[in-house]
């Protein structure tokens, strides 16, 4: 429609049907009419265009930023475990933004704390029915939550969520486990408080805190020889460090056990499990990833909840397809001279080296073993062999084992040392557009550095 109307790249859309546009949400909201008048700014001059359309029709426009020229709402908290302050310099600039913007929460599922909402924001959320929103709770006890957020003015999140319910908004929530603060009875209380707010609260993800070697407290602890009492105060006017550590294996096991018990209760009461431990907790504990039915429609896959199950189920479907139909890439393979097509395994085909984080590597290895077994059985595939290469996160520290936080520099170092004609990299280590890594490198940069082609994939079906 945009092309038919004569809209051009660089045009600035100011209003729809007289409503000034603040962001992408306004654009979508006011576009749901069958008669639309657009006010634009083109090359320094105003322009007005009108059209009739179906209310559901989009114009097909893309915008420079979802919040147009109004910028992103940043947060007013000082969480001791904030990932932004654990990042070294030299990463892509957007990573240093402490965003806490309800519009991004509605549009993209970003987590917000509700601590920076103005009355005008509440009215807009109600008027435009911005549901669902994604809320970081961490603890429902107001005092503990204020401590965790480093924000003495944070309101009672239970009251805020109840208020969202009165205006027809549902929320998905997360509790980042920050030991020892919000475990044990605090976690029990938080889960039960949130369950009392069902169905306003639709899901609770339970995820472990992520700590890098660059965290100011951990750096100070190292400098103090590991003695917390020897850490100097941060200076006048600054709060003392919140002592932090990762979850222990025993704590993870207790959390998983409690979550399983809660799920049982909530499944009887609500018909859904309601509380969902993140994949990282299952993988760290060496426990199997639950079946898809456990995830009740996968409310939070972007938060690492159920993504491993989606990956494994994609592989199951891919394996079925490969066994019954040859790969779509079989045509390429069939063009090879016949001596190279011995059995199911052509020596002319490339070997694929899959690089991933330490946490997911054992799962990936099991899948690669199954793929190699298919190759040995003569199932035609586009690779002669798959191998898996766990990448240690030297850049952020060895505590960080997830694939989504790998940097190009660590992947390049591992890629140079691994065999394989083609490297496969996890999509999770790139930004939302699948373009750049945390350290601002593209797949082409990595391919040039390792001297081999690179494929980005989130699923086995993209590779086979
Ligand atoms: S809410 Fe906390 S963790 Fe999130 S950006 Fe703000 S300070 Fe960081």
């Amino acid at each position: 429609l945009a092309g038919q109307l004569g809209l051009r790249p660089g045009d600035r859309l100011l209003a729809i049907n007289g409503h000034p546009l603040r962001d992408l949400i306004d654009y979508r909201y006011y576009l749901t009419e069958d008669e639309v008048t657009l006010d634009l700014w083109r090359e320094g001059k105003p322009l007005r265009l009108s059209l009739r359309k179906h209310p559901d029709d989009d114009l097909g426009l893309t915008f420079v930023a979802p919040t147009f020229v109004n910028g992103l709402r940043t947060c007013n908290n000082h969480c001791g475990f904030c990932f932004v302050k654990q990042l070294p310099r030299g990463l892509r600039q957007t990573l240093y933004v402490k965003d806490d913007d309800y519009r991004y929460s509605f549009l993209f599922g970003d987590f917000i704390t509700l601590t920076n909402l103005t009355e005008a924001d509440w009215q807009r959320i109600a008027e435009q029915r911005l549901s669902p929103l994604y809320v970081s709770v961490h603890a429902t006890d107001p005092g503990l939550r204020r401590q965790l957020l480093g924000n003495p003015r944070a309101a009672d999140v239970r009251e805020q969520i109840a208020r969202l319910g009165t205006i027809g908004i549902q929320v998905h929530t997360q509790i980042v486990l920050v030991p020892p603060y919000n475990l044990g009875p605090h976690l029990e209380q938080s889960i039960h408080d949130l369950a009392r707010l069902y169905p306003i609260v639709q899901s609770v993800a339970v995820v472990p805190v992520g700590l890098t070697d660059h965290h100011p407290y951990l750096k100070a602890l190292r400098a103090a020889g590991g003695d917390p009492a020897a850490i100097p105060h941060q200076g006048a006017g600054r709060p003392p460090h919140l002592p932090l550590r990762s979850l222990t294996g025993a704590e993870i096991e207790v959390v998983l056990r409690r979550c399983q018990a809660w799920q049982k209760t909530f499944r009887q009461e609500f018909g859904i499990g309601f509380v969902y431990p993140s994949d990282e907790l299952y993988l760290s504990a060496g426990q199997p990833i639950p079946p898809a039915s456990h995830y009740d429609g996968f409310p939070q896959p972007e938060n690492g909840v159920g993504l491993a199950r989606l990956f494994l189920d994609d592989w199951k479907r891919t394996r079925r397809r490969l066994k019954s139909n040859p790969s779509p890439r079989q045509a390429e393979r069939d063009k090879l001279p016949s001596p190279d097509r011995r059995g199911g395994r052509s020596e002319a085909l490339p070997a694929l080296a899959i690089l991933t984080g330490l946490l997911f590597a054992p799962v990936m290895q099991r899948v690669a073993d199954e793929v190699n077994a298919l190759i040995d059985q003569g199932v035609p595939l586009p690779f002669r062999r798959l191998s898996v290469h766990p990448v240690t996160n030297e850049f952020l520290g060895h505590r960080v084992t997830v694939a989504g936080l790998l940097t190009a520099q660590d992947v390049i170092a591992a890629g140079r040392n691994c065999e394989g004609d083609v490297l496969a990299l996890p999509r999770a280590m790139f930004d939302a557009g699948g373009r750049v890594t945390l350290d601002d490198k593209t797949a082409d940069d990595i391919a040039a550095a390792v001297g081999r082609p690179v494929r980005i994939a989130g699923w086995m079906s993209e590779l086979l």
Side-chain angles (χ1 to χ4, degrees):
L1 282 179
Q4 287 167 20
L5 261 178
L7 288 168
R8 295 186 201 153
D11 283 347
R12 207 170 137 205
L13 182 58
L14 303 175
I16 295 179
N17 290 347
H19 299 286
L21 303 184
R22 294 161 288 189
D23 47 42
L24 186 57
I25 297 174
D26 276 348
Y27 165 73
R28 290 184 184 164
Y29 186 75
Y30 293 118
L31 202 62
T32 53
E33 302 284 340
D34 47 11
E35 288 194 27
V36 167
T37 299
L38 308 176
D39 285 311
L40 299 132
W41 196 253
R42 177 182 290 168
E43 293 166 1
K45 292 191 192 122
L47 177 69
R48 177 166 286 187
L49 300 170
S50 296
L51 79 153
R52 290 181 69 84
K53 65 174 197 56
H54 188 278
D56 291 341
D57 283 347
D58 187 33
L59 297 180
L61 295 179
T62 51
F63 297 94
V64 174
T67 47
F68 296 179
V69 292
N70 299 315
L72 189 69
R73 185 80 63 85
T74 52
C75 96
N76 57 1
N77 305 311
H78 304 279
C79 305
F81 55 90
C82 179
F83 207 71
V84 175
K85 73 177 187 188
Q86 302 190 49
L87 295 174
R89 290 168 196 271
L91 303 180
R92 62 174 199 260
Q93 277 311 306
T94 48
L95 293 169
Y96 298 102
V97 179
K98 284 172 48 175
D99 67 297
D100 195 1
D101 194 317
Y102 68 93
R103 298 165 302 174
Y104 272 62
S105 188
F106 172 68
L107 289 169
F108 309 117
D110 290 6
F111 277 89
I112 53 172
T113 60
L114 307 175
T115 56
N116 62 1
L117 293 185
T118 64
E119 267 316 302
D121 296 331
W122 280 98
Q123 279 167 25
R124 182 177 180 194
I125 290 168
E127 185 198 342
Q128 297 188 330
R129 280 286 176 109
L130 304 184
S131 179
L133 294 176
Y134 293 77
V135 178
S136 284
V137 170
H138 309 325
T140 52
D141 175 83
L144 177 57
R145 186 164 189 261
R146 286 183 197 122
Q147 184 193 8
L148 289 169
L149 295 182
N151 182 349
R153 286 189 301 279
D156 188 328
V157 74
R158 295 166 297 191
E159 289 170 9
Q160 289 185 302
I161 292 174
R163 181 176 176 185
L164 286 171
T166 64
I167 54 177
I169 309 299
Q170 293 189 319
V171 295
H172 295 283
T173 62
Q174 71 166 353
I175 292 176
V176 174
L177 299 174
V178 189
Y181 306 100
N182 57 352
L183 301 184
H186 291 297
L187 183 59
E188 299 272 341
Q189 182 191 340
S190 298
I191 298 293
H192 287 290
D193 285 345
L194 292 173
R196 269 196 283 274
L197 289 163
Y198 177 84
I200 306 168
V201 176
Q202 285 283 301
S203 67
V204 185
V206 178
V207 305
V209 69
L211 297 175
T212 81
D213 278 356
H214 305 272
H215 191 290
Y217 171 74
L218 297 175
K219 276 188 359 197
L221 188 63
R222 276 199 303 278
D227 178 7
I231 296 177
H233 195 280
Q234 292 197 83
R238 299 183 66 190
H241 286 292
L242 186 71
L244 291 172
R245 63 172 173 81
S246 304
L247 288 163
T248 64
E251 284 168 339
I252 291 176
E253 296 214 348
V254 171
V255 167
L256 286 174
R257 251 200 322 276
R258 291 303 300 136
C259 285
Q260 278 150 15
W262 290 321
Q263 283 166 347
K264 223 170 149 187
T265 310
F266 296 137
R267 202 164 283 288
Q268 279 169 3
E269 268 182 55
F270 307 149
I272 57 167
F274 188 66
V275 179
Y276 307 96
S278 71
D279 298 350
E280 193 175 344
L281 291 172
Y282 289 108
L283 293 169
S284 304
Q287 292 197 17
I289 299 292
S293 56
H294 164 101
Y295 290 102
D296 304 308
F298 294 92
Q300 301 194 34
E302 291 82 7
N303 201 15
V305 178
L307 209 51
R309 171 46 57 200
L310 289 170
F311 176 88
L312 290 168
D313 286 356
D314 169 79
W315 162 236
K316 257 194 236 165
R317 284 191 299 276
T318 304
R319 187 176 50 195
R320 268 201 304 275
R321 166 173 62 76
L322 293 173
K323 282 178 144 181
S324 53
N325 305 303
S327 154
R329 294 191 184 84
Q330 177 61 15
E332 290 167 29
R333 188 179 168 279
D334 285 343
K335 286 184 203 144
L336 292 168
S338 55
D340 287 331
R341 285 189 266 130
R342 289 183 299 267
R345 185 167 159 187
S346 163
E347 294 311 316
L349 290 172
L352 181 72
I354 301 175
L355 278 67
T356 188
L358 298 183
L359 190 72
F360 198 61
V363 177
M364 187 59 92
Q365 184 63 61
R366 282 196 292 279
V367 171
D369 290 344
E370 291 178 31
V371 175
N372 288 331
L374 290 183
I375 293 171
D376 291 341
Q377 289 161 25
V379 175
L381 295 179
F383 301 102
R384 72 170 184 277
R385 211 73 194 156
L386 264 60
S387 56
V388 175
H389 304 268
V391 182
T392 302
N393 199 322
E394 301 294 348
F395 187 78
L396 294 177
H398 293 190
R399 284 184 204 83
V400 181
T401 57
V402 294
L405 293 174
L406 288 175
T407 52
Q409 52 190 273
D410 282 334
V411 159
I412 289 168
R416 282 184 176 140
N417 289 325
C418 76
E419 290 184 4
D421 308 303
V422 178
L423 303 190
L425 304 181
R427 173 160 293 113
M429 65 175 280
F430 291 86
D431 65 356
R435 225 183 57 75
V436 287
T437 61
L438 289 180
D439 46 351
D440 224 357
K441 298 278 184 277
T442 64
D444 287 346
D445 295 332
I446 297 173
V450 294
R452 276 169 281 176
V454 159
R455 301 257 308 263
I456 301 176
W459 314 103
M460 291 309 285
S461 55
E462 294 174 276
L463 293 170
L464 300 174

